Structure formats: structure tokens, C-alpha cells
Amino acid sequence: MNFLACDGDWLQGADGSPICSGSLVALTVEEMQGLYGAALTWEQVTELQGEAIVLFATVFGFLVLKKVLKQ
């Protein structure tokens, strides 16, 4: 996948369309990662989602248990 970047400022035309005040530059995914830091791999995303779900389930279970024991 390629990205379109502007080496100047993005402006808004009269009809609302974006206009580049400089010249347009095409960047690859690797170049974008180099500019803005490394992205997560899909394996890391899946692992992070799994950990977030486990954390949510643990907190939810604790709150339900707390409510049941309080009554």
C-alpha cells in the first residue's frame, strides 16, 4: 500500500477539496513506519486484544462477585 504525502501544507480549496501547497510525494508502508515509528504486527494486535479481553472479564467478574457477596 502506498500513501500520498505533501511536502508542504495541505490547504482546502473553494469546493472543499484538499490542495497541496508543495509537491506530492508517494510513500510506502516501510517509509511511513520509518517516519512515525514501528507499527504492531497482526500477531501483536491479536495478543493485545486477547489480554484486554481477559482484563475486562477479570474486572467484570470481580465487580459481579463483589455485588453478590454484598447482598
Side-chain angles (χ1 to χ4, degrees), residues 19-71:
I19 300 171
C20 176
S21 65
S23 60
L24 294 175
V25 179
L27 299 173
T28 65
V29 174
E30 291 79 19
E31 291 170 331
M32 287 290 286
Q33 287 177 347
L35 290 173
Y36 297 106
L40 295 176
T41 65
W42 285 112
E43 289 178 2
Q44 291 171 328
V45 169
T46 304
E47 183 179 346
L48 188 59
Q49 285 177 339
E51 291 173 359
I53 290 170
V54 168
L55 178 62
F56 174 77
T58 303
V59 171
F60 182 75
F62 174 75
L63 292 175
V64 168
L65 185 62
K66 182 179 170 184
K67 188 173 184 177
V68 167
L69 292 177
K70 202 174 199 183
Q71 292 180 1

